[in-house]
Amino acid sequence: MRTFLTLATVAVALSINAQAFGEAQEQRIAESIVIDAPPDAVWAVAGDFAHLDRWYPFIDASRLVLGRNGEVGAIREIRRLNGTKVEEKLIEFDPWNYRLVYTYAEGMPLTSDYFATMQVKDAGGGKSLVEWKGTFKRLAYWTDDPPAGQDDKTVFGFIDNAYKGSLANLKKVIEEGR
């Protein structure tokens, strides 16, 4: 009985200790934009998993390194403007509902536990609503005192600005390309 109580006490202490150190909260971002083009035309660009570089202004190049474009499990390699690379894996692709979901697979991620969803919806009148949502944690998720520039506010701001700027560029690319 004494051994059981000692083990139970140690387990409770470890549990409390782990909670005291905390873990970063999951961050959620949702941005959207209306594009003056029908969903088929918008999806042809936004849903092209392999060619993110056509409209995402913060990268140099995007290419498939595994699988086929639009195939679940496909992996694209992205080379950022600063030269770093990251691989992203397509985990859901639904061309009938104009929806795709992806996550980091390898390389130099900006966040931890990153999952992003992009969906194109009919906004009526020949227009489309593009929604881009993401969930993530900062890289130093295990500490309440992350390194400079890796705190929740900074990382959230960076990702949010990337979503906003990229959606604005997607709109420009599609509307000017018509």
Side-chain angles (χ1 to χ4, degrees):
M1 180 72 164
R2 176 176 245 171
T3 302
F4 174 75
L5 288 175
T6 302
L7 289 174
T9 304
V10 169
V12 168
L14 288 174
S15 171
I16 291 170
N17 209 12
Q19 291 173 2
F21 286 112
E23 184 172 316
Q25 294 293 316
E26 181 177 79
Q27 303 291 309
R28 295 181 178 277
I29 288 180
E31 294 295 341
S32 63
I33 198 163
V34 174
I35 298 177
D36 190 13
D40 283 338
V42 174
W43 180 249
V45 179
D48 185 355
F49 185 71
H51 298 105
L52 184 64
D53 54 346
R54 287 178 62 192
W55 59 272
Y56 190 85
F58 307 107
I59 62 172
D60 233 3
S62 174
R63 68 183 181 99
L64 280 183
V65 293
L66 181 69
R68 285 183 270 173
N69 200 14
E71 180 180 90
V72 171
I75 296 179
R76 68 181 172 201
E77 178 188 75
I78 295 169
R79 187 176 66 231
R80 298 183 186 110
L81 295 176
N82 67 4
T84 60
K85 295 179 183 178
V86 69
E87 291 181 358
E88 295 177 332
K89 182 177 183 178
L90 187 60
I91 56 176
E92 184 181 319
F93 189 78
D94 183 353
W96 296 277
N97 292 303
Y98 307 119
R99 182 175 190 270
L100 63 83
V101 181
Y102 63 95
T103 187
Y104 285 139
E106 189 122 354
M108 304 259 321
L110 299 173
T111 65
S112 173
D113 301 335
Y114 179 73
F115 291 90
T117 301
M118 178 161 290
Q119 185 159 18
V120 178
K121 296 179 178 179
D122 190 339
K127 297 181 181 199
S128 299
L129 173 68
V130 180
E131 297 177 334
W132 196 358
K133 299 176 183 179
T135 61
F136 59 90
K137 292 181 182 178
R138 65 176 181 259
L139 285 176
Y141 59 85
W142 61 88
T143 179
D144 288 332
D145 190 23
Q150 292 184 27
D151 58 282
D152 290 338
K153 184 178 178 182
T154 301
V155 174
F156 183 90
F158 181 82
I159 301 290
D160 194 44
N161 287 333
Y163 277 28
K164 288 176 184 174
S166 298
L167 287 173
N169 199 55
L170 176 65
K171 177 181 177 77
K172 179 181 174 186
V173 165
I174 292 171
E175 290 180 358
E176 288 180 1
R178 293 179 63 196

